[in-house]
Amino acid sequence: MDDVTKSLNVTLAHTLADGHCFLYAVVLQLNETLNTMQDYEFLMKAIETKSRTNKNQYTYFIDENSGRLDLLVHKYRHNKIFDHAAGDLIPQITSNALQKPIHIYSERDGGIWKTIVQPKIQQQINKSPLLVHLKDYHYNALINKRNASISKTPLSR
């Protein structure tokens, strides 16, 4: 991972490992790239709204054994249960809600894998991607080195 962080001029910003680490990593990245002060609640509400108003986009990824998308998102939010179909959809729903691409750098199988999650409908604003790191089912943010010592976002509720 050191090669990736050096080439991107970023450093790893650690997040809580409580089932919502992806959200915390995205909020850190969002605040850094847009110089905002958004919080976890802002992002969770955006995900809930996007999953509710555009549920037809995501129902193809939910099988009949998984349950309804709204219930799965509810479980994700309130019980922090991420290891089901809705948890796998959270990066796509987040990208759509924020209208920003998300680049996920995963450490697995002895290598680094880059997954690009694009918003379904792309507007012409805010195209710089949000960068997150995934290892052993845990997400951290990849923060520009110049902002590495600045903590702009509370990471827990």
Side-chain angles (χ1 to χ4, degrees):
M1 190 65 197
D2 287 340
D3 291 342
V4 173
T5 56
K6 285 179 186 175
S7 70
L8 295 172
N9 196 32
V10 295
T11 190
L12 215 55
H14 295 280
T15 62
L16 292 174
D18 71 351
H20 284 169
C21 55
F22 174 77
L23 300 181
Y24 304 139
V26 167
V27 167
L28 283 171
Q29 261 290 292
L30 189 63
N31 288 342
E32 181 199 20
T33 59
L34 297 180
N35 198 27
T36 64
M37 291 293 290
Q38 299 299 342
D39 62 8
Y40 162 90
E41 197 59 36
F42 159 82
L43 184 56
M44 195 65 238
K45 285 179 182 175
I47 290 168
E48 287 176 322
T49 300
K50 187 56 80 170
S51 66
R52 186 175 47 256
T53 59
N54 295 64
K55 62 183 170 189
N56 291 340
Q57 288 180 14
Y58 311 112
T59 54
Y60 299 109
F61 302 99
I62 308 284
D63 64 30
E64 65 239 13
N65 297 325
S66 298
R68 293 187 353 233
L69 179 62
D70 59 334
L71 294 176
L72 294 175
V73 171
H74 179 83
K75 284 181 185 177
Y76 178 75
R77 177 185 182 124
H78 296 285
N79 303 334
K80 298 183 180 183
I81 298 172
F82 63 90
D83 57 345
H84 56 60
D88 294 339
L89 283 172
I90 294 298
Q92 184 62 61
I93 297 169
T94 303
S95 178
N96 290 342
L98 299 174
Q99 284 298 298
K100 290 187 70 61
I102 300 171
H103 293 189
I104 301 171
Y105 292 88
S106 305
E107 283 189 66
R108 66 178 193 272
D109 302 328
I112 304 292
W113 302 84
K114 180 180 177 182
T115 302
I116 299 175
V117 182
Q118 291 284 0
K120 183 172 168 72
I121 300 171
Q122 297 182 28
Q123 298 173 347
Q124 296 304 314
I125 56 171
N126 298 329
K127 289 299 167 205
S128 59
L130 301 172
L131 307 177
V132 297
H133 170 259
L134 173 64
K135 182 178 181 182
D136 298 330
Y137 303 101
H138 180 73
Y139 286 94
N140 288 303
L142 293 171
I143 300 294
N144 189 306
K145 284 186 178 180
R146 66 178 155 62
N147 294 336
S149 63
I150 300 171
S151 175
K152 299 178 182 178
T153 305
L155 294 182
S156 64
R157 311 185 297 136

